[in-house]
Structures are given as structure tokens and as C-alpha cells.
Amino acid sequence: MSLSGQSLDIRLLVDRIPAFTWSTHPDGSVEFVNQRWREYAGLSAEESQGWGWQAAIHPEDLPSLMEKWRKLLRSGEPGDIEARMRRHDGVFRWFLIRFEPFRDETEKIAMWYGVSTDIEDLKQTEEKLREDERELRRITDAIPQTIIVLDSSGAPMYANQAALDYTGLTAEDVTSPRFRERIFHPEDLDRLRDQRKAALSRAVPFEVEQRARRKDGKYRWFLIQYNPFRNEHGQVIRWYATGTDIEDRVRAEERTRNENLALREQIDRDSMFEDIVGSSESLRQVLRQVAKVAPSDSTVLILGETGTGKELIARAIHKRSRRAERAFIGVNCAAIPTSLIASELFGHEKGAFTGAAQRRIGRFESANGGTIFLDEVGDLPQETQITLLRVLQERELERVGGNQAIPLDVRVLAATHRDLNALVADGKFTPVLKDVKESL
């Protein structure tokens, strides 16, 4: 078969391809368009050659098409251009026109080949999506609640008019770097950064409370609710964040907390001495001293005759202290046998002495975090006083029969009807309460 016969067969084949194909000379003028193209455009082969094909291009699209085509001719690189092409019945449809250069053995462009693909349906779909997006934006702009749309990673893409009006920012500002740093309080960014990142990775709805800067520079509290939007494959492609101003609610809660605190303090002041009856000036002086020493953690020694209500004073001190919610353990030192007082106060280990069948927690450990009241502390044996001195100084104890130091956080209140100074002078009492800050 001759070369001309082969070319004819190839052109017959190209004419039957269900696509619009063509070829041009190196200068861009058309050398050949296939039959499908000619039938669609309603042009003959002669009418389509050279630059006659331009008659099938929409007049509005022709200038930009030619400009891009000339750039491709100069660059010698493949490319594609979108333009509307007229059908034989006068209807224009969008086409994607692809250009590919063919080079000879010297790498010089000998021909250009191309194919035109109808993308009208795709264009209409894109336009429908754009119109839907415009409609959605019109709707969201009409909503008085701030709305921000984010991509799958959480980067902002769009903010509605309410958000722009509140922040004083532009639509371009929303997509610029460090957008969040410009509107949210620095303390809240640091506080919520890891929480927000973890919540986004879980791809489930979540909410946070943080302060957003108004265009006048003032911050207000907002409840930010994040909701993911998924595609048909279940993949998160968007996040919708809505902000609700909760400044008034936060302030109301703060006022309520302050009022409750004030009310609780008033109730405490009014009721802390409810078990103590009396109106004498000396009693009032004692109660004033109680109110003074109660908030501190200082050790307190309560002096008074038997039956004068020393334990009531101790309970009043505890109730007014910061340990009021913890244990108040009272110990009557005079009522415990001398042989058991150490075990009773400090506990013992299993086998520490005859009858110690199991470990026992002492009163000091039971009062850990709270207050222990040592009533009639002047009746303590001297060996127990020495151990008590270590507990007060080191803030730790060892159980009887044990060798492990146990740290303690216990406030000690003590009471006695005895004259401790006289007992110390007689050598019957070790000054274990030498760190006492107040005496009542």
C-alpha cells in the first residue's frame, strides 16, 4: 500500500472516532478536522481549514482562546483551553480543547494535534453548585449568628456577614494566616489548642467556650459549636462552626458564684458559733480570736477549766478553716490508757506488740488533710510527748513497730485545763507545743 493510501486510511479512521479531533500546522492554522467536528459545527472541510474554524467559536470566547493558543504556540508546550463552540443548529456548548505538539527527529514542532471534549453538562453542574453556594451564603449572611466554614483540617474558608460585622475583618482576612490569633483571646488559644486539635481528628461534633475579640477590641465569651460535613464516602470535607454569644450567661454565672460565696460566708459567720451560747464580753473576745486564727493553719492551744466548752471552740475553729470539708478527729488524751496512747495516736504495725494482730491506722493518719483535736494534752506521757514533738516538727510519723516515715498534713488543736508552764517547770511536760501561734 502506498504512503498516500495509508494516510487516507488513517483519516478515514479518525473521521469515525466518536470524538472531535483535528490537526494544525506549526503556525496554528488548521490542516485537518475530522468528520465528527464538521458535522457538529455544520462546516465543510474547506470552510474549517486555515482559520475558518473560528466561525464555530463563540464571539465572546474567541479573543481569549486565540491569546492562549498563541502562548502555547510560542512555548511549544501542551495545554488546554475552555471555550464555547456553536452547534450546527446555532446552540453553543462548552468544550475543553486540548493541544499536543508533535516533533520531528530534530525536535522541531511539525504538527499540533488536539481533541475537543463537550463539558457543557459539567459546566452546568459547576454553575449549579456555585449558585447553590451563593444561595447558601445569602442564607448564612442573613442569620444573626456568627458562622465560619472550615476545611477538613480546620482551616477557615468563609465567614458569614455576622462574623465579619462582629470582628471588623474582611472575607480575605478570614482565609489569611493566623486568623484565629486575630479574633480569639491568647489565653483561650493556649488553653484549647490541644483540645481542638484532638476533637478535629476524631471527626465528631464538639463545642468549646472561648472569648472572641469584637471590632472595638473588647472580648466577649462565645460558645463555639463544631459540626462536620461528610461526603458520600463518609469523609469529612467541611466543618461548620457556629458562635453563640454567652457573655451575659457567663457574667450571670460569675455573679451567682460570687453571691453564693458571699452567702456561704455569711451563713458560716452566722452559724459557726450556733452551739456556743453566751453574750458576755469575755466570750465575745474568745469568739473574735477564733475568727482570727481559724483561716490559718497555725497550731492553737485552748486553755480553760473542765466543762467550759474547749471542744466546742476547737470545732468552731475547724468549721471556719479551709479544712472544714475534711475530717475533725477528737482525742481525749486523759481517757486513753498510757500503754495504748501511742498506738491510738500514731497507729501500729502488725506484730508491733502483744495483741497487735493487724495493722492499725492511728488518729493522726485518720485526720490527714483535716484537723486533730488533742483534748487534755497535758495528760500525755512524756515518751508520747517526744513522739508528738517529732510529728509537729517534721510533719511525718512512724507507726509503732514501723520504720517507714508517713508524711502528714494535719492541723493540730490542743486543749488542757492544766498549767502547762508549771508542768514544764516540774519536768512533767515537754514543750511540744512550742510552735503554737495562738492561745485561747
Side-chain angles (χ1 to χ4, degrees), residues 314-327:
R315 288 186 179 276
I317 293 173
H318 171 73
K319 187 175 180 180
R320 188 74 174 116
S321 74
R322 65 181 180 86
R323 302 170 182 264
E325 301 300 322
R326 306 302 294 271

Side-chain angles (χ1 to χ4, degrees), residues 237-349:
I237 58 174
R238 293 286 187 275
W239 283 91
Y240 293 94
T242 58
T244 304
D245 190 320
I246 58 171
E247 178 73 16
D248 293 341
R249 191 203 78 186
V250 171
R251 295 305 175 201
E253 291 175 349
E254 183 178 356
R255 285 195 300 271
T256 301
R257 284 194 298 270
N258 292 338
E259 290 169 0
N260 287 342
L261 179 61
L263 179 61
R264 190 179 304 114
E265 290 177 350
Q266 181 63 40
I267 292 173
D268 286 344
R269 284 193 298 270
D270 293 344
S271 63
M272 65 177 287
F273 304 128
E274 60 186 3
D275 294 329
I276 302 174
V277 179
S279 59
S280 66
E281 181 54 35
S282 59
L283 180 58
R284 288 178 180 275
Q285 175 63 25
V286 170
L287 297 183
R288 284 194 291 269
Q289 288 180 288
V290 168
K292 177 183 177 182
V293 302
S296 71
D297 262 349
S298 61
T299 304
V300 177
L301 175 62
I302 304 169
L303 302 175
E305 298 298 323
T306 302
T308 55
K310 295 186 292 296
E311 184 171 350
L312 290 177
I313 295 297
R315 288 186 179 276
I317 293 173
H318 171 73
K319 187 175 180 180
R320 188 74 174 116
S321 74
R322 65 181 180 86
R323 302 170 182 264
E325 301 300 322
R326 306 302 294 271
F328 176 88
I329 304 295
V331 183
N332 187 341
C333 300
I336 302 174
T338 302
S339 59
L340 298 178
I341 188 67
S343 172
E344 186 72 21
L345 291 178
F346 312 120
H348 63 254
E349 299 290 349

Side-chain angles (χ1 to χ4, degrees), residues 22-30 50-51 53-54 64-81 98-103 107-114:
W22 40 265
S23 62
T24 77
H25 298 292
D27 65 356
S29 60
V30 168
W51 301 100
W53 57 271
Q54 295 179 348
S64 62
L65 184 152
M66 290 304 299
E67 181 182 355
K68 295 175 182 177
W69 179 213
R70 293 188 187 99
K71 288 183 179 179
L72 291 177
L73 290 172
R74 289 194 297 269
S75 68
E77 297 294 330
D80 52 64
I81 303 171
R98 297 186 182 277
F99 300 83
E100 186 73 31
F102 173 75
R103 302 178 185 273
E107 290 300 312
K108 184 178 180 181
I109 295 178
M111 297 286 289
W112 284 85
Y113 294 98

